[in-house]
Amino acid sequence: MSQNASLPIRTRIAPSPTGFLHLGTARTALYSWAYARHFGGKFVLRIEDTDVARSTQDSVEQILASMKWLGLDYDEGPIYQMQRLERYHAVAEQLIAEGKAYRCYATPAELDDMREAQRARGEKTRYDGRWRPEAGKMLPPVPSGVAPVVRFKNPLEGDVTWDDLVKGPITINNREIDDLIILRPAAEDAPAGSLGVPTYNFAVVVDDWDMQISHVFRGDEHVNNTPWQINIFNALGAPLPQFGHVPVILGDDGQKLSKRRGAVSVTAYEEAGYLPEAMLNYLSRLGWSHGDDELFSREQLVSWFDGTHLNKSPAQWDPAKLEWVNSQYIKQADDARLAELVAAQLRQRGIEVESSRLLPMCALFKDRCSTTVALTDWLVMYFAPVSPSAEDLASHVNDAVKPALAGLADRLEAMAEWTKANIAAAIKETITAQGIKMPVLAMPVRALVCGRVQTPSVDAVLELFEKEIVIKRLRSI
Ligand code: GLU
């Protein structure tokens, strides 16, 4: 059956809740979402929780939170596979009744022996079809006490071909693939009457069929699963979706991005102070392009993303570029929004501040920060003691400048109104009175008050402090 281009556009993302939302899954979710939005279709969220041992509710919640954070809103779902077991059983029974699937009673030990013998003969290991019914074939007697699996009767000959939206035409011969297990019996210790669990390749087809999915974007680790899935779609007489297999994301060492090589979850980047729109921008660009555009809005992405211009080769995760993209979004971000984010981060560090107080500080420092964590690092000096480095103290705070620091402290203390202009005037008066140059005073002021010597202009920085704090820190030597 050919791929059906006339289905209404319906895409889905189908994460397994065995951890945080992985960056690779977030990217395919983003492509699926953008594709549906571009064509006015629907985007479905399905939770593939059939790996009962590894799936957790906590992970479901993390995934939902990350989708929400990224703004990937879905029209249907979340649909949980574990709530659809009856449906998979019904479809499996239907396939058995039609002679397209069968029960296999081979025990794991027997299958191990089978594979061992195949390896010894130098053959590729595969199910040898011992329980596969064929006209005129005698099947072994059904053993007692063995709960059977259900296997799909894969065609023995012929090619499976599809025109992949990303990789182009792909052909795999049926001789390469065996009769896969589509349904396993319930675990021995499961309560009586429990239903067995379908395997990924079967559940995914039943779901994509039932949910009328027209386009499947997913990671290319699934390319080898697709021929089985296409054969099952065909056995069910279901229309085929179009498949687009997106290449993996590589870490900067050229290996597949993995936990061992740094942060791989969306949550980690949220915590590290990235803005969702920057993440969305960077992730979409990682494996797809629209000319030379590097910075674009969510709306632009939706208007441009039509499933073309997806890269065939793996994308390289580039933390420096992501940081640059984020810094561009931070520069443009509304100060009130940044202030909220910084207030939340200060709270995590044990500092409670009204976000309104942070607003002018965010405005002053956002240009030099690539994450909101970096921005918070700056603003901490306004609320917690600073510790200038011994090196900065040694190079800038010497006996010669102490009278100037004391003079400045006096002038600031006497000042009626704490304004940037008055602070600037006090600094000017102090350097004139002491006969020193601006940096000779500004550097130790920065070191003592801010705990570092590279800051925006001193008057602007000081104005945002509480006056008493400035004076106390100036007098601390
Ligand atoms: N649960 C699968 C995964 O997370 C879904 C693959 C698919 O989209 O078909 O890899």
Side-chain angles (χ1 to χ4, degrees):
M1 190 176 296
S2 66
Q3 284 165 290
N4 193 329
S6 63
L7 292 175
I9 304 292
R10 289 175 59 88
T11 63
R12 53 42 163 207
I13 187 70
S16 302
T18 54
F20 294 108
L21 184 65
H22 187 280
L23 294 170
T25 312
R27 186 184 55 162
T28 22
L30 165 56
Y31 291 158
S32 306
W33 170 85
Y35 195 80
R37 293 289 170 263
H38 178 88
F39 289 107
K42 298 277 189 239
F43 175 54
V44 181
L45 171 63
R46 180 166 78 226
I47 303 288
E48 300 206 330
D49 53 354
T50 55
D51 184 345
V52 183
R54 292 173 60 227
S55 298
T56 65
Q57 188 55 33
D58 186 47
S59 165
V60 169
E61 273 150 32
Q62 299 280 358
I63 290 170
L64 297 183
S66 291
M67 299 270 298
K68 186 165 185 207
W69 182 68
L70 287 171
L72 302 179
D73 54 328
Y74 38 90
D75 305 293
E76 291 169 30
I79 297 162
Y80 295 83
Q81 288 190 322
M82 285 305 282
Q83 292 175 7
R84 289 175 42 79
L85 293 185
E86 283 175 9
R87 173 67 180 146
Y88 308 126
H89 278 261
V91 177
E93 287 303 332
Q94 177 199 326
L95 288 174
I96 294 172
E98 291 169 0
K100 295 169 179 167
Y102 58 94
R103 293 196 166 80
C104 166
Y105 294 84
T107 60
E110 226 181 288
L111 293 174
D112 281 346
D113 291 347
M114 173 195 79
R115 282 187 285 263
E116 196 46 52
Q118 287 168 339
R119 272 191 286 269
R121 292 195 297 270
E123 293 169 13
K124 202 174 146 193
T125 56
R126 52 184 290 140
Y127 179 68
D128 61 5
R130 56 185 66 187
W131 284 93
R132 179 181 169 112
E134 300 286 6
K137 173 178 165 186
M138 272 287 280
L139 292 176
V142 172
S144 64
V146 178
V149 299
V150 178
R151 286 185 186 269
F152 176 68
K153 203 173 170 192
N154 198 67
L156 297 173
E157 302 286 330
D159 287 333
V160 183
T161 298
W162 76 95
D163 194 4
D164 197 273
L165 288 166
V166 181
K167 293 177 180 287
I170 298 182
T171 297
I172 294 178
N173 193 279
N174 276 316
R175 281 190 297 275
E176 304 283 315
I177 58 181
D178 58 6
D179 287 359
L180 86 155
I181 297 174
I182 58 173
L183 202 59
R184 293 185 189 282
E188 270 176 29
D189 54 356
S194 300
L195 288 176
V197 174
T199 57
Y200 156 71
N201 276 309
F202 182 52
V204 81
V205 171
V206 176
D207 287 351
D208 285 340
W209 178 31
D210 285 354
M211 294 162 204
Q212 298 169 26
I213 299 303
S214 63
H215 294 78
V216 170
F217 291 95
R218 63 183 166 206
D220 68 359
E221 68 272 20
H222 288 294
V223 165
N224 290 334
N225 287 320
T226 303
W228 272 314
Q229 294 180 20
I230 290 178
N231 285 337
I232 298 174
F233 270 106
N234 289 342
L236 292 169
L240 281 182
Q242 291 194 262
F243 295 97
H245 288 93
V246 184
V248 289
I249 303 175
L250 301 178
D252 45 17
D253 55 359
Q255 302 291 316
K256 190 175 170 187
L257 201 64
S258 78
K259 250 185 221 156
R260 269 171 295 129
R261 301 189 172 81
V264 291
S265 71
V266 172
T267 319
Y269 287 88
E270 182 181 0
E271 284 166 4
Y274 288 83
L275 296 179
E277 61 270 36
M279 246 3 237
L280 200 83
N281 187 149
Y282 177 75
L283 276 174
S284 62
R285 193 53 198 80
L286 198 65
W288 168 81
S289 56
H290 180 265
D292 292 331
D293 290 304
E294 291 295 352
L295 296 173
F296 41 83
S297 66
R298 167 185 302 268
E299 291 71 29
Q300 283 171 310
L301 168 64
V302 166
S303 78
W304 295 337
F305 193 87
D306 61 0
T308 62
H309 302 287
L310 283 160
N311 297 347
K312 284 190 169 62
S313 48
Q316 177 116 20
W317 186 256
D318 181 349
K321 183 165 168 201
L322 170 59
E323 210 175 304
W324 175 78
V325 171
N326 204 51
S327 68
Q328 302 306 307
Y329 279 92
I330 289 199
K331 265 191 201 127
Q332 296 164 19
D334 187 45
D335 297 333
R337 175 176 171 219
L338 292 176
E340 292 285 349
L341 293 168
V342 171
Q345 286 178 21
L346 285 173
R347 199 168 305 126
Q348 281 175 15
R349 301 186 196 190
I351 301 171
E352 279 295 335
V353 192
E354 283 288 320
S355 66
S356 55
R357 259 218 77 194
L358 299 169
L359 227 127
M361 299 170 188
C362 289
L364 182 59
F365 288 96
K366 68 179 181 181
D367 277 1
R368 51 182 71 213
C369 296
S370 54
T371 64
T372 56
V373 168
L375 186 53
T376 308
D377 289 343
W378 266 111
L379 304 198
V380 163
M381 67 182 179
Y382 286 105
F383 311 101
V386 291
S387 29
S389 71
E391 201 187 328
D392 282 344
L393 290 178
S395 12
H396 302 294
V397 188
N398 46 42
D399 285 344
V401 81
K402 281 184 183 168
L405 289 167
L408 177 62
D410 292 343
R411 284 187 183 86
L412 294 178
E413 202 157 25
M415 190 183 280
E417 239 192 305
W418 186 249
T419 62
K420 183 175 156 187
N422 286 351
I423 295 166
I427 293 172
K428 215 170 197 139
E429 278 169 34
T430 308
I431 58 173
T432 313
Q434 299 289 326
I436 54 176
K437 290 212 158 61
M438 180 62 130
V440 176
L441 179 62
M443 298 308 262
V445 168
R446 287 182 168 118
L448 293 172
V449 180
C450 307
R452 47 170 126 187
V453 292
Q454 304 289 332
T455 76
S457 95
V458 180
D459 48 357
V461 173
L462 293 192
E463 186 201 12
L464 302 177
F465 273 95
E466 279 172 34
K467 178 173 166 178
E468 295 66 36
I469 293 182
V470 174
I471 291 161
K472 199 168 136 218
R473 288 184 190 171
L474 288 177
R475 293 205 200 282
S476 66
I477 35 120

